[in-house]
Amino acid sequence: MKECQSSFLLPKTLGLNGETLAAFYQPIIAMDTRRIIGYEVLGRAVKGNAVRSLGPFFCNEEVPEEDHIVVDRLLREQAFSKLASMQEQPLLFINLKPSWIYRYEENGELYTLSLLDRYGIDPKQIVIEITEESFLGSMERLRTVVDIYRSRGCIIAIDDVGSGYSNTDRIAQIQPNLLKIDIHMIKKSATHDGYFGVLRSFSDLAEQIGASLLVEGVETREDLARAIQAGARYVQGFMFARAEPEFMEPHCFALVIEAELEQRLLHHLGTERYWQRQSERLAEQLVELVQQARCSEQKDEWIEKLLPELYDHCIRVYLCNEDGIQLSSNYYRETDRDWRREEQYRGANWSWRPYFVPNLVQLNENRRAIVSRAYTDLDSYAWIRTVSVLVAPGLILFMDLKDSERGAQRL
């Protein structure tokens, strides 16, 4: 490795005590290829077998920003020098604070791009990761600098999405290739449905803007399962490896990824097939009931005849026409409660719901029932699925059913 420290004077605030400054690399694994596709570059102070993270140094607001930049540039040059020596070059994820990038206007130079030229590295191998930071500068000027990296061919990522710093405005302005989610949101999602809903929304956001989702900090199999469930294309964390001074064999985690993907696929297929069977059985039952009752103008009376026949985990039912206009009252119940009629919903227009038009197009004589994916109910905050049943020409019955293990049992 080329010695890079000769051109820089290490700041005293770094607090080195006979230690050597070194770039370490934490692997990032892709779900599709099951191989290591890149590494995040992290700073370490090394003395013998002792290794100390430089995270506290970079997070210390009392340290002058100039000192942060000097140390970061040393680490970057070490990393670029190592990458240039590799025959098969992985991606390198380089952390840059917005305020550092913003300094471009002061000197007209982007140090990372100068390193690309110096070491002859393909810019497509470099991921510019905009890190968590409260940034008060102009977003337009920040976007201008990011676009310079993008125009050279670098990949753009936003770190700590959902932390409060990397807000939707920053995402919209920068239009990144990657959204990076922190492990803390994953862990909260394991015990709080609201957090998982937010987590999954970032997967939807990534899909809408043409980006991929990277989940970092994966420490356990449960974390990995949650990351896959949330739609992560890439994962990173201690479950696979801590940051090390050398690159690893690209396929060394393939078996772990394959096993979890297979388990997730089997579970997901089982769940979706269960719900599809449930919806088809409901459709058969309801169509028969409709023919018997002939679905008179008294829609509420007709639904009230259906209530005793519905699944125990059904919490809401109502009838709409094909224009999305609700023809009946809502019938709603909480756990172990009687049905409650909510007349104020009669005449409501539900055609604005994202699932309404796609379901309407698919429902026909050959496919009378469609089940939605799980989502959070607006009233109960429970995870539910909506089953749409074409009970008669132009009439669609909507039923909201709780999505839980208890939902598999009917009393």
Side-chain angles (χ1 to χ4, degrees):
M1 179 185 296
K2 177 182 175 182
E3 179 59 49
C4 306
Q5 299 186 13
S6 58
S7 59
F8 292 93
L9 180 63
L10 287 173
K12 293 181 179 180
T13 53
L14 186 56
L16 293 178
N17 183 20
E19 298 166 304
T20 301
L21 188 67
F24 274 45
Y25 310 93
Q26 187 173 36
I28 294 168
I29 302 98
M31 293 294 176
D32 47 4
T33 62
R34 288 92 65 204
R35 61 178 288 161
I36 296 171
I37 53 95
Y39 295 85
E40 180 175 2
V41 179
L42 298 169
R44 297 291 185 263
V46 181
K47 184 178 182 180
N49 294 326
V51 178
R52 174 170 61 91
S53 171
L54 297 183
F57 168 78
F58 284 112
C59 294
N60 190 344
E61 296 181 356
E62 296 182 0
V63 174
E65 188 171 65
E66 289 75 11
D67 289 359
H68 286 162
I69 292 174
V70 166
V71 174
D72 181 75
R73 288 187 170 188
L74 283 167
L75 296 170
R76 264 186 280 169
E77 185 162 1
Q78 285 188 19
F80 278 55
S81 175
K82 182 177 183 64
L83 187 67
S85 68
M86 305 294 296
Q87 185 173 2
E88 184 177 351
Q89 297 182 349
L91 298 177
L92 276 189
F93 286 65
I94 307 297
N95 296 302
L96 294 178
K97 292 185 178 182
S99 57
W100 297 357
I101 299 174
Y102 199 59
R103 290 189 168 211
Y104 166 75
E105 292 190 344
E106 297 178 8
N107 54 34
E109 179 190 26
L110 293 175
Y111 185 71
T112 298
L113 296 184
S114 68
L115 289 177
L116 288 176
D117 296 333
R118 186 184 311 172
Y119 289 97
I121 293 172
D122 184 350
K124 292 183 175 62
Q125 299 305 115
I126 303 301
V127 180
I128 303 298
E129 191 172 311
I130 312 301
T131 62
E132 173 187 7
E133 181 183 62
S134 179
F135 179 66
L136 302 178
S138 165
M139 283 300 302
E140 185 62 33
R141 290 151 78 183
L142 175 61
R143 168 65 187 267
T144 299
V145 176
V146 170
D147 281 346
I148 294 174
Y149 284 110
R150 198 193 318 269
S151 67
R152 283 290 302 270
C154 297
I155 300 169
I156 307 299
I158 292 185
D159 192 13
D160 291 311
V161 171
S163 68
Y165 294 119
S166 300
N167 55 32
T168 53
D169 181 59
R170 184 179 294 187
I171 294 171
Q173 288 276 355
I174 293 177
Q175 295 181 305
N177 306 101
L178 292 168
L179 296 180
K180 198 169 185 181
I181 305 293
D182 187 76
I183 185 62
H184 294 97
M185 187 172 289
I186 295 284
K187 288 191 177 297
K188 287 179 181 177
S189 74
T191 57
H192 193 302
D193 287 339
Y195 280 104
F196 181 68
V198 172
L199 184 65
R200 193 168 67 179
S201 74
F202 286 121
S203 175
D204 294 337
L205 173 62
E207 181 179 343
Q208 291 297 316
I209 67 174
S212 297
L213 196 66
L214 192 164
V215 173
E216 67 175 332
V218 174
E219 298 176 345
T220 66
R221 292 292 290 261
E222 290 75 18
D223 290 339
L224 179 57
R226 278 276 168 176
I228 295 172
Q229 190 177 9
R233 184 178 182 181
Y234 306 107
V235 288
Q236 169 187 2
F238 291 166
M239 175 181 173
F240 306 103
R242 296 177 181 271
E244 300 290 346
E246 300 297 333
F247 295 159
M248 306 177 72
E249 197 280 317
H251 288 94
C252 60
F253 303 113
L255 294 179
V256 175
I257 296 295
E258 286 176 359
E260 197 60 46
L261 286 174
E262 182 179 5
Q263 183 174 342
R264 166 63 181 162
L265 178 62
L266 291 173
H267 176 76
H268 190 58
L269 282 174
T271 300
E272 296 307 312
R273 284 170 176 165
Y274 161 77
W275 278 102
Q276 189 58 44
R277 289 194 302 269
Q278 293 285 79
S279 66
E280 291 170 355
R281 289 173 59 189
L282 277 169
E284 292 175 4
Q285 181 183 23
L286 292 171
V287 169
E288 181 179 348
L289 289 170
V290 167
Q291 293 173 346
Q292 294 173 0
R294 297 184 181 178
C295 199
S296 68
E297 293 299 320
Q298 302 299 321
K299 302 297 192 275
D300 285 4
E301 292 181 8
W302 179 76
I303 288 182
E304 287 171 7
K305 293 179 182 179
L306 299 180
L307 297 181
E309 305 296 327
L310 298 180
Y311 288 95
D312 189 57
H313 55 293
C314 180
I315 64 170
R316 185 183 293 106
V317 59
Y318 55 97
L319 188 69
C320 289
N321 64 22
E322 60 187 3
D323 295 323
I325 304 300
Q326 185 165 330
L327 303 178
S328 71
S329 300
N330 262 12
Y331 284 84
Y332 175 77
R333 66 178 172 186
E334 298 175 1
T335 305
D336 300 325
R337 300 284 182 88
D338 292 331
W339 288 100
R340 182 174 73 244
R341 184 167 69 181
E342 301 172 325
E343 297 183 6
Q344 68 270 25
Y345 288 99
R346 190 184 293 112
N349 190 330
W350 300 110
S351 62
W352 60 272
R353 297 301 291 265
Y355 60 77
F356 186 85
V357 172
N359 284 11
L360 183 64
V361 171
Q362 296 180 65
L363 288 172
N364 53 55
E365 291 298 321
N366 295 320
R367 186 177 186 185
R368 287 186 172 273
I370 293 176
V371 60
S372 74
R373 74 173 186 173
Y375 64 96
T376 304
D377 181 49
L378 293 174
D379 296 323
S380 67
Y381 297 103
W383 280 98
I384 65 172
R385 290 175 184 254
T386 296
V387 176
S388 311
V389 179
L390 182 66
V391 293
L395 292 178
I396 306 171
L397 190 73
F398 291 95
M399 290 171 289
D400 295 336
L401 290 81
K402 286 188 176 180
D403 185 8
S404 66
E405 294 299 324
R406 289 170 296 184
Q409 302 296 324
R410 183 186 178 190
L411 299 180

